Amino acid sequence: MATLADGQFEIDGYVFGGVWDGLKIDKVDFPEMSWDTQDFDNMFDVGMLMGQDRLRSGEITFELRTDTYSIDDAKGVVNSFAHKWLKSGSRSPRDMSILRYRIGNRTMRVYGRGRKFKHGLDGWSLGGASPVLCTFQMQTPFFFADDFRSQRLTYMPEVTGGLIHPLKDPLTAKGTQATSVNSALEDVGGDAPTPIVIRFYGPTASAVMKGDGWSVAYNAPIPAGGWVQIDTRFGYATCYDNTGRIVNGNLGWSTNLTKARVAPPTELLYYTGVDPTNTSY
């Protein structure tokens, strides 16, 4: 992915909107945030009965124009951009585009698909300027920071203890706790729950990651040098190993990837597994 300058956008590797880019931005309209509601009139009293509210995903609208030295150059810019925006050919249900942009000193990203694309063939002018109108349908109403944060939870071996004979005075008793659970308080940031990507490194078996109200369990053993990644991001929700195989069938029955979210400002995460070498994480 490219390092964006202020005002630049990128969709699946194609950068536009910058000073030296062949496609300039005249206007960007971000969607207004609205709710899908289930409100209805109260049949037994005045007012409304409020139902379940859900944020609605919107569309980002772009008004663009080519900025090249010739009509032929402009046509090449439009064709390259249309190929990325429309993703020629069929799109599977999990096929998502990433739209990145930079405003000020922050780079953000949204997930979704390029939808409308309108280019007037009669709009060419001398010098190769031509208008382009397109929309991007957001898959989720949330905007995400582009920088990923990571937290490593190493395996914590079981703690054992007891009394050693012969006993000597003074005798002090201390409790011991047997546990193979490690935890970390993660600084989430932002203002909405965010999906996570979990990677278990072997050797381990029965690996589990837990958060507040959710858990992700992988039941199959992971050998030394191997790993399994569980991606809970919108539009992905999949599990695969280091060989590229999809291994969703090895997830625990109580695993719900759509609920695996970490909420701001902080969340306590737990990792546990069966690892006699104490080297997994």
Side-chain angles (χ1 to χ4, degrees), residues 141-170:
F142 302 117
F143 294 77
F144 299 95
D146 192 55
D147 55 324
F148 286 92
R149 303 184 185 188
S150 62
Q151 173 71 52
R152 176 183 292 195
L153 294 180
T154 56
Y155 185 85
M156 181 180 292
E158 289 191 354
V159 178
T160 58
L163 299 177
I164 302 176
H165 290 276
L167 301 179
K168 296 182 180 180
D169 290 328

Side-chain angles (χ1 to χ4, degrees), residues 33-39 51-57:
M33 304 308 292
S34 60
W35 296 89
D36 288 325
T37 65
Q38 296 177 351
D39 302 340
Q52 178 71 42
D53 290 347
R54 182 178 57 186
L55 274 175
R56 177 182 299 169
S57 299

Side-chain angles (χ1 to χ4, degrees), residues 65-75 120-131:
R65 59 179 169 83
T66 57
D67 184 16
T68 58
Y69 293 105
S70 68
I71 292 179
D72 288 338
D73 290 342
K75 288 180 178 179
L121 295 179
D122 57 348
W124 300 110
S125 64
L126 295 177
S130 180

Side-chain angles (χ1 to χ4, degrees), residues 257-273:
L257 298 186
T258 62
K259 292 184 178 180
R261 303 290 184 262
V262 289
T266 58
E267 179 150 343
L268 191 60
L269 301 177
Y270 298 89
Y271 163 63
T272 183

Side-chain angles (χ1 to χ4, degrees), residues 40-49:
F40 56 93
D41 292 327
N42 189 342
M43 296 181 294
F44 306 103
D45 203 346
V46 297
M48 302 284 292
L49 294 178

Side-chain angles (χ1 to χ4, degrees), residues 7 20 22 96 132 236 262:
W20 303 107
M96 290 288 163
V132 176
Y236 292 85
V262 289

